[in-house]
Amino acid sequence: MPTLRNIELTYPYFHDGQVNSLEEAVKIMGKIQLNKDFTDEELADVMAFLKTLTGEQPKFQHPILPPSNPNTPKPNPFSKS
């Protein structure tokens, strides 16, 4: 299950990226999962909670790979080795 950590920063939302706003995503999920239209106050409360889960983004460095050349082995993702 995905985490809610930094959910405020991880738009677009849903499996197909159809929603860019966390607030809109919360409204949609309230309706779909709870069959409920949130009041402005309820929506503000949920948004306030989700924003408390926002923290410093992890920092990581991508490796620098050497350039490919004619002798670079070709990938074989289905090999049995």
Side-chain angles (χ1 to χ4, degrees):
M1 170 180 262
T3 178
L4 292 176
R5 178 93 168 125
N6 289 325
I7 190 74
E8 181 181 18
L9 308 175
T10 57
Y11 60 91
Y13 301 100
F14 301 140
H15 69 283
D16 58 359
Q18 70 177 335
V19 176
N20 288 321
S21 158
L22 180 57
E23 186 171 310
E24 185 64 24
V26 169
K27 287 179 187 178
I28 291 169
M29 294 309 293
K31 188 64 175 171
I32 290 172
Q33 290 188 332
L34 304 172
N35 196 28
K36 178 169 179 50
D37 293 313
F38 290 129
T39 66
D40 290 344
E41 184 178 352
E42 289 169 329
L43 183 60
D45 288 346
V46 172
M47 292 297 298
F49 166 73
L50 292 174
K51 288 180 180 189
T52 68
L53 303 175
T54 301
E56 190 173 322
Q57 288 280 46
K59 292 180 178 37
F60 59 92
Q61 190 170 13
H62 293 286
I64 299 173
L65 301 175
S68 296
N69 62 48
N71 296 324
T72 302
K74 301 293 182 222
N76 187 358
F78 302 109
S79 70
K80 303 237 186 230
S81 58

